[in-house]
Amino acid sequence: MSKRQNVSGGTCQICHQTRPLNQLLPARLVRGGVLPLIKKQHPDWDEHSLICFTCLNRYRADYVQQLMEKDLGELDELEQEVVKSLQDNALLSENINEEYEQQLTFGDRVADMVAEFGGSWKFIIWFAIFILAWISLNISFLLWQPFDPYPFILLNLILSTLLPFRPPSS
Ligand SMILES: [Zn+2]
């Protein structure tokens, strides 16, 4: 139904593993200092590529290590420990999207689904068909007893209850 579900995965162009989309980041969102490090090892990796959080965190730790070495010279044991824990912590935070989705309430999910369906072409087309069918049925009063004769007051009532579900204008 949704685009998010149709395209459920992608490939990290660094490790060539297929991952769910919420574990991949488009290259254009990779920040400054980390980018040259990736490009150095993967020259073909361009702005249309994807990178998984595992690979990205490895490069982030490399980047921090480089910065620290530039400032402090050779890293001592404690500093290496810091770099390592940075890497581990980064791994802990890699599933932010998943955590976010887990904390959505039932109401949030229903609201998302309603907004997604209400804004889709499928809905608009079915809605147009529904209104045309309703009006056609009720103006063919020579054949049937109309259940909502012109000017379609019941239809008007139904439409007005739908107004709160209009997708927000952006
Ligand atoms: Zn990867």
Side-chain angles (χ1 to χ4, degrees):
M1 187 170 85
S2 81
K3 279 179 204 138
R4 256 173 296 163
Q5 282 158 353
N6 289 343
V7 190
S8 59
T11 305
C12 166
Q13 266 95 34
I14 306 296
C15 63
H16 301 289
Q17 286 187 36
T18 305
R19 306 234 175 201
L21 276 190
N22 62 10
Q23 288 176 28
L24 291 164
L25 195 73
R28 66 197 150 75
L29 295 183
V30 175
R31 297 228 201 113
V34 185
L35 210 58
L37 277 181
I38 304 175
K39 288 244 180 196
K40 207 162 83 186
Q41 286 178 23
H42 297 271
D44 332 325
W45 193 77
D46 62 21
E47 63 195 71
H48 304 295
S49 306
L50 295 168
I51 185 169
C52 72
F53 284 109
T54 312
C55 291
L56 182 61
N57 286 330
R58 212 178 53 231
Y59 283 107
R60 277 177 178 159
D62 285 355
Y63 174 63
V64 172
Q65 184 161 6
Q66 273 192 4
L67 283 185
M68 286 173 76
E69 279 173 353
K70 213 160 81 181
D71 260 15
L72 307 167
E74 194 73 6
L75 295 189
D76 65 26
E77 210 173 307
L78 179 66
E79 286 156 352
Q80 274 171 10
E81 201 64 32
V82 171
V83 171
K84 195 178 168 300
S85 78
L86 270 177
Q87 195 165 12
D88 293 346
N89 278 331
L91 289 173
L92 283 181
S93 65
E94 85 181 14
N95 288 327
I96 288 174
N97 285 341
E98 245 167 59
E99 278 167 30
Y100 172 73
E101 279 187 15
Q102 276 163 10
Q103 73 182 18
L104 289 179
T105 63
F106 177 72
D108 292 335
R109 285 174 218 275
V110 172
D112 278 352
M113 279 159 59
V114 169
E116 199 168 308
F117 181 62
S120 67
W121 275 109
K122 199 170 147 189
F123 173 75
I124 292 167
I125 290 165
W126 275 113
F127 198 56
I129 292 172
F130 168 76
I131 291 175
L132 282 176
W134 185 292
I135 292 173
S136 316
L137 278 176
N138 285 293
I139 54 177
S140 49
F141 55 87
L142 293 178
L143 302 173
W144 289 287
Q145 184 78 17
F147 59 92
D148 181 24
Y150 180 86
F152 319 115
I153 290 165
L154 178 57
L155 176 63
N156 229 314
L157 183 72
I158 294 172
L159 294 184
S160 63
T161 64
L162 281 174
L163 285 181
F165 297 116
R166 277 184 311 183
S169 51
S170 49

